[in-house]
Amino acid sequence: MKKIYLLSAIAVMVITACQQTPKTVPVDMEAEKAALKVLFNKFDSAFEARDVTTLASFLTDDALCLGTDPSEFMTKQQITDLWTQMLADSTVDINYIREREIKVAADGRSAAVVDQYMMPGISPKIPWRNVYHLVKTNDNWMILFFSCSFIPKNEDLQRLNDALD
């Protein structure tokens, strides 16, 4: 009986040791960043054109979208409905306040993108930040998660807190 266990253990070790390790394909980070820049240029153009169908096409079916209010946890359909309502009445003025940040994971399968901007029509004094998490599926980048938030300057926090009292 001990021989069977010993032989089985040796067989498992030999089989495991003889398997080839998968070759890792190097990721061209600059090419991936360029692809993400193209995607977000199209995303921005669709926003400016009020093309909600195109905007929604950049989201995965199970995307999670967070708004500025703590209660705003939205599905793809809910954010699509919000965009439809928001963009139906007027254009949204967006003034970027710093360069878009793009960080691609080492394996080239996910990325983070960050935009910071002012939206004078909604909040002329408090900047905004959108953070996107993208995944690569079938060689296409798709937005799995994004979050919109206000980003007041640290020196303004006390004044904001006082104003809310």
Side-chain angles (χ1 to χ4, degrees), residues 77-128:
Q77 185 59 54
Q78 290 168 321
I79 194 66
T80 300
D81 293 344
L82 179 66
W83 284 335
T84 300
Q85 178 186 1
M86 182 175 81
L87 296 175
D89 297 331
S90 64
T91 57
V92 178
D93 187 23
I94 296 176
N95 303 318
Y96 291 94
I97 57 175
R98 70 175 285 160
E99 187 118 355
R100 176 174 282 142
E101 293 286 331
I102 298 174
K103 176 75 175 158
V104 179
D107 65 359
R109 305 297 303 161
S110 66
V113 176
V114 179
D115 282 328
Q116 292 187 168
Y117 54 94
M118 296 297 292
M119 227 182 218
I122 296 175
S123 177
K125 297 191 182 236
I126 302 175
W128 296 60

Side-chain angles (χ1 to χ4, degrees), residues 157-165:
L157 290 177
Q158 188 59 50
R159 291 187 332 182
L160 287 168
N161 286 327
D162 291 345
L164 292 172
D165 283 337

